[in-house]
Amino acid sequence: DAKTTQPPSMDCAEGRAANLPCNHSTISGNEYVYWYRQIHSQGPQYIIHGLKNNETNEMASLIITEDRKSSTLILPHATLRDTAVYYCIVRVAGGETSGSRLTFGEGTQLTVNP
Amino acid sequence: GAVVSQHPSRVICKSGTSVKIECRSLDFQATTMFWYRQFPKQSLMLMATSNEGSKATYEQGVEKDKFLINHASLTLSTLTVTSAHPEDSSFYICSARDVGNTGELFFGEGSRLTVL
């Protein structure tokens, strides 16, 4: 899996948008960008993933640059419950077992403040 | 969405005893499951890949005789920490791959092991 780089921590005010960046300059053409988050003492939770186009679901939006070397996860209206460690991972979607062996980096600790 | 359940969520044991942690896929079949370990304030580290009906594949540096993995059915994988020591105290997390649907991964809630 391609290496990703994320800032170690970020703060955000409740109700404001949280924009979490991720660099993945060595991403391969068949690798997707996945975002997971881990709330303290829980298992990781899937948020969103994308290949080239921007994606949006009920939790977040994912903006991927045209060269695919970086992406931004956007939580449009952050709440206190969004405080968690956010992991950006690049991997092959579905498919072979090798693509399922996730390598977690250090992630970004997002703290949403009242 | 698909659910992966771990049991127990918390376990405390004495040094030298063995502890078994179960990982179940509740509404899908998983030929492959993954076991991770997470120490406080650190990221998840992959320990092994559990394959249904065959031997697990361990990551470098993980003792296979220490961490026994059994994947006897398409919905259950177990991790047994043998002769546990205080340094084995950690948060153990499993994930399962839904090969019958999207092939996507789902994570369990984690199991916190404390060895006294």
Side-chain angles (χ1 to χ4, degrees), chain A residues 2-105:
Chain A
K3 182 181 172 75
T4 62
T5 306
Q6 300 177 250
S9 64
M10 294 184 66
D11 282 89
C12 176
E14 187 178 18
R16 303 298 293 269
N19 298 292
L20 293 93
C22 179
N23 287 321
H24 32 79
S25 59
T26 59
I27 190 170
S28 300
N30 64 342
E31 287 183 315
Y32 287 67
V33 180
Y34 276 75
W35 283 84
Y36 294 85
R37 73 179 182 184
Q38 186 180 25
I39 296 170
H40 183 62
S41 293
Q42 296 183 23
Q45 176 189 21
Y46 165 81
I47 301 173
I48 198 167
H49 75 284
L51 182 63
K52 289 188 284 189
N53 299 322
N54 298 336
E55 301 288 344
T56 295
N57 62 21
E58 64 277 6
M59 290 183 68
S61 294
L62 174 60
I63 309 297
I64 302 173
T65 58
E66 193 169 342
D67 63 7
R68 302 211 320 124
K69 292 185 177 182
S70 65
S71 60
T72 301
L73 178 74
I74 301 172
L75 306 179
H77 306 286
T79 70
L80 299 180
R81 288 176 295 180
D82 291 323
T83 293
V85 178
Y86 287 76
Y87 295 100
C88 168
I89 297 171
V90 292
R91 59 169 282 237
V92 177
E96 300 298 322
T97 299
S98 60
S100 302
R101 293 176 61 253
L102 301 187
T103 300
F104 284 82

Side-chain angles (χ1 to χ4, degrees), chain A residues 34 38 43 95 100-101 104-105, chain B residues 38 43 59 97 104 107-109:
Chain A
Y34 276 75
Q38 186 180 25
S100 302
R101 293 176 61 253
F104 284 82
Chain B
Q38 185 176 34
S43 189
E59 297 298 305
R97 185 162 160 259
E104 290 307 327
F107 286 86
E109 316 96 319

Side-chain angles (χ1 to χ4, degrees), chain B residues 99-112:
Chain B
V99 293
N101 193 0
T102 63
E104 290 307 327
L105 291 171
F106 302 94
F107 286 86
E109 316 96 319
S111 300
R112 184 162 301 283

